[in-house]
Amino acid sequence: MIKQYTSKIIGLGKYVPDNRVTNDDLSEFMDTSHDWIVERTGIEERRFIPKDSPEGTATMGVRASEQAIERAGIHKDDIDLIVFATLSPDYYFPGSGVLVQDLMGIGTCPALDVRNQCSGFIYALSVADQYIRTGMYKNILVIGSEHHSGGLDLSTRGRTVSVIFGDGAGAAVVSRHDNLDEGIQSTHLHSEGKHAKELSLIGPNTKKWVHEVFENYDPDDMDYHPYMNGQLVFKNAVVRFSEVILEALAKNNLEPSDIDMLIPHQANLRIAQFVQKKFGLRDDQVYNNIMRYGNTTAASIPIALCEAWEEGRIKTGDHVMLAAFGSGFTWGSSLIKWV
Ligand code: UT7
């Protein structure tokens, strides 16, 4: 008989830069205000890597990973696979997963990069879960890390996008587990490419190649700045978050009231509050930290999961629901029976 496995998170880590940027700080660069940002998004401050710092997407991923590995009680050489989710890789290629591997001195295990933006961590977790279920790997390091601040348009022109995003990293060690009723019970993934450009950074790309940036760079060419159709994203987000949470509940024969902790991707506090209200969840059943970090896309779920765990808000036996929506559009969920 083929042995069956499930996977469980055995260690969590996070890292955010020390440099706090308040809404008032942003209003020195652009026409915005603390009240506008708090009312529309719930964000009070975010962290930005200082301009002259060598810190980047991979190095933040390393810091989060080292903490996760230490808490997991394993050695870095026990890692069989690195899965790295980001929309802000250090290089165009190679991906940041191999950079983490090199910086941490982790032998020659495979390193795989995932490009699914705000849903990146859930996509990455699903990859890890599948490799563990097949028995191929035992310990997988899953990382979400984002260095947004380097690419944001911090003028009034970019304010709709730039006030939302922040820098940071989170990591999880996902490991083989024998009790099929515990650990990651299911993952659910979706994409809808017809909205690809509605939340995107188009250039540089293979048609507008890098030399153009140097030779003909036009600071008014909006292809070189992140673009977001905020209202369309918001409307789709509230629908897709709800759908994919229901999908995970149905798959596991659970009701919304069975969710002990919902960790939503920290897109906008208003989106999380809409979902909370729709499912009738109490405040203690939902974790939000967007107030302090802004939206860190692929890093937001592992940072929030790590903090919720550190604060003792996730206990053995809890049903933990992860859910995300973002650029692509992509969305997903994961139901974990915490152990
Ligand atoms: O993680 C990926 C997923 N992303 C999301 O889930 C984000 C979803 N979208 C949103 O969260 C919201 O659409 C935003 C927070 C981005 C924007 O809120 P909104 O209520 O949709 O604002 P809006 O874009 O419709 O703009 C309303 C007004 C406009 O002024 P007028 O045309 O009414 O005079 C904007 O120019 O607010 C203005 N505005 C700002 N004012 C001050 C836009 N950005 C700002 C700003 N500060 N930062």
Side-chain angles (χ1 to χ4, degrees):
M1 201 177 88
I2 298 171
K3 178 97 173 114
Q4 284 192 294
Y5 303 107
T6 184
S7 56
K8 69 170 181 176
I9 293 174
I10 62 166
L12 287 162
K14 70 168 202 301
Y15 174 78
V16 292
D18 290 336
N19 182 37
R20 292 168 196 269
V21 178
T22 65
N23 295 338
D24 286 338
D25 291 334
L26 289 182
S27 63
E28 289 176 21
F29 311 120
M30 63 180 81
D31 181 11
T32 190
S33 69
H34 176 74
D35 290 348
W36 191 96
I37 299 171
V38 170
E39 188 193 322
R40 306 282 177 132
T41 71
I43 299 167
E44 294 171 19
E45 60 178 36
R46 72 287 291 141
R47 307 294 179 96
F48 280 0
I49 294 173
K51 282 271 176 253
D52 54 355
S53 167
E55 197 78 77
T57 302
T59 59
M60 290 193 298
V62 168
R63 291 170 189 266
S65 298
E66 286 173 343
Q67 189 177 48
I69 289 171
E70 190 193 335
R71 287 171 169 176
I74 63 168
H75 190 268
K76 62 183 167 67
D77 293 337
D78 297 328
I79 298 294
D80 301 314
L81 167 71
I82 297 168
V83 189
F84 195 108
T86 188
L87 64 70
S88 51
D90 298 79
Y91 305 148
Y92 196 90
F93 74 84
S96 297
V98 294
L99 303 183
V100 165
Q101 180 185 39
D102 180 47
L103 287 166
M104 292 182 69
I106 300 177
T108 58
C109 77
L112 171 71
D113 279 53
V114 167
R115 296 285 308 273
N116 288 79
Q117 301 71 247
C118 304
S119 311
F121 187 78
I122 291 182
Y123 270 74
L125 195 64
S126 78
V127 172
D129 183 45
Q130 300 309 312
Y131 274 122
I132 286 173
R133 283 172 185 270
T134 61
M136 185 162 173
Y137 296 126
K138 193 171 172 208
N139 297 307
I140 301 181
L141 177 60
V142 182
I143 307 166
S145 181
E146 300 288 7
H147 179 187
H148 281 293
S149 58
L152 297 173
D153 174 5
L154 291 173
S155 70
T156 296
R157 183 182 57 185
R159 65 183 178 176
T160 312
V161 177
S162 302
V163 299
I164 291 180
F165 294 106
D167 300 337
V173 177
V174 182
S175 289
R176 183 184 291 174
H177 189 59
D178 287 323
N179 186 338
L180 301 184
D181 296 329
E182 296 173 337
I184 298 175
Q185 296 297 291
S186 64
T187 54
H188 307 271
L189 309 174
H190 296 276
S191 307
E192 190 174 29
K194 75 175 181 186
H195 295 305
K197 288 192 175 173
E198 302 293 353
L199 178 46
S200 59
L201 176 55
I202 300 296
N205 58 50
T206 47
K207 294 218 167 71
K208 265 186 163 175
W209 198 234
V210 181
H211 63 81
E212 195 176 321
V213 179
F214 295 108
E215 290 167 15
N216 309 312
Y217 178 63
D218 172 3
D220 292 327
D221 184 340
M222 294 308 290
D223 276 2
Y224 297 114
H225 300 289
Y227 167 76
M228 177 166 67
N229 181 343
Q231 293 195 359
L232 183 78
V233 174
F234 195 104
K235 283 178 194 153
N236 276 266
V238 292
V239 172
R240 299 308 194 183
F241 260 106
S242 304
E243 281 177 4
V244 82
I245 289 170
L246 282 174
E247 189 179 349
L249 289 172
K251 172 77 181 171
N252 293 282
N253 296 316
L254 297 172
E255 299 294 326
S257 57
D258 294 320
I259 298 173
D260 296 295
M261 180 54 72
L262 169 64
I263 310 273
H265 159 54
Q266 305 291 298
N268 180 323
L269 189 60
R270 307 296 162 236
I271 294 174
Q273 288 170 333
F274 178 94
V275 173
Q276 176 178 346
K277 194 168 168 207
K278 181 178 171 70
F279 290 113
L281 302 176
R282 301 180 307 272
D283 287 350
D284 63 284
Q285 290 171 289
V286 185
Y287 193 84
N288 291 302
N289 61 10
I290 192 170
M291 304 72 90
R292 289 178 278 127
Y293 304 131
N295 178 341
T296 58
T297 53
S300 90
I301 286 182
I303 292 174
L305 185 61
C306 182
E307 286 200 337
W309 175 81
E310 286 171 348
E311 292 169 17
R313 290 184 57 186
I314 298 176
K315 299 173 293 304
T316 297
D318 279 357
H319 290 118
V320 178
M321 176 76 75
L322 313 181
F325 176 87
S327 164
F329 293 156
T330 60
W331 61 100
S333 63
S334 178
L335 192 280
I336 305 172
K337 183 85 181 295
W338 200 262
V339 60

